[in-house]
Amino acid sequence: MYSIHSCPGWQPLAEESVRSAPEAGLVLHLRENRSQLSHEARVTFTVLIGLFMAMAILPAIKGDMLVPVFALGTMALLVGAIEWHQRSQPAAEWLAIEDDRLLWASNRGDPIDLPAQATRLVQDETVPERLRLFLENHWQRAEIGRYLSLEEKRAVAALIARQLGEARA
């Protein structure tokens, strides 16, 4: 998931941006999509837990105690993993391209400050279903938008490539 916080007027999708200054360059916020479970998904999950509990109780009635222990342990691990995932901070990146600077920051790594004229966007499509985007300079290379969908990566790549091309001109 990405949002455009500032976009020059000539760029596609400029009308969707929230401008901080009229002469600002491109400012993107890229974030991992953390959609909440829908009501139907929560109901389905609850039904599955109920079925697992019923399946765990039946062998216990016959005297097989290991089956309920493993089934209940598996459910507890699943619920714990979902809770941990919901509470953890989603991966996020910020990319700003101004007149002569490219600033990139991530909550998972160190920030990068590069000259925009010497930086290029590399699109690695060795696997057609998995586009990878890199910001590359003479001495540094950083992958951006790892968690974006393929369509989002293509849209973001077009925005970044146009802005970097404008910075070189």
Side-chain angles (χ1 to χ4, degrees):
M1 180 168 78
Y2 70 95
S3 61
I4 304 168
H5 290 275
S6 175
C7 188
W10 56 267
Q11 282 269 28
L13 305 176
E15 65 279 356
E16 297 177 19
S17 69
V18 179
R19 294 174 184 263
S20 57
E23 55 271 350
L26 181 66
V27 179
L28 295 174
H29 179 214
L30 312 172
R31 200 182 108 219
E32 179 181 18
N33 187 0
R34 289 277 182 97
S35 300
Q36 297 294 325
L37 284 176
S38 66
H39 177 70
E40 293 83 16
R42 285 193 300 268
V43 168
T44 303
F45 190 67
T46 304
V47 168
L48 286 174
I49 287 177
L51 288 174
F52 278 131
M53 289 176 67
M55 290 185 339
I57 291 171
L58 293 176
I61 293 172
K62 293 181 183 178
D64 297 329
M65 295 307 290
L66 285 179
V67 173
V69 169
F70 284 117
L72 294 174
T74 302
M75 285 185 289
L77 285 174
L78 178 62
V79 170
I82 290 173
E83 277 296 313
W84 174 82
H85 182 70
Q86 286 181 337
R87 292 181 187 192
S88 66
Q89 184 179 11
E93 299 174 9
W94 297 265
L95 177 68
I97 303 172
E98 295 180 357
D99 296 332
D100 60 344
R101 305 299 310 160
L102 183 142
L103 304 166
W104 177 81
S106 170
N107 62 354
R108 307 257 195 244
D110 295 330
I112 296 174
D113 183 2
L114 300 169
Q117 294 85 3
T119 304
R120 65 188 186 113
L121 178 70
V122 177
Q123 299 181 40
D124 181 10
E125 295 188 80
T126 53
V127 178
E129 301 84 34
R130 190 174 182 281
L131 173 66
R132 295 177 70 192
L133 303 174
F134 295 95
L135 291 173
E136 190 172 75
N137 200 316
H138 298 295
W139 59 88
Q140 206 163 14
R141 183 177 183 166
E143 185 175 2
I144 61 171
R146 291 181 193 156
Y147 34 80
L148 296 178
S149 69
L150 184 60
E151 297 80 26
E152 290 173 330
K153 285 182 184 182
R154 291 188 194 285
V156 166
L159 289 170
I160 295 170
R162 282 191 197 104
Q163 191 67 24
L164 285 175
E166 186 71 21
R168 280 190 217 103

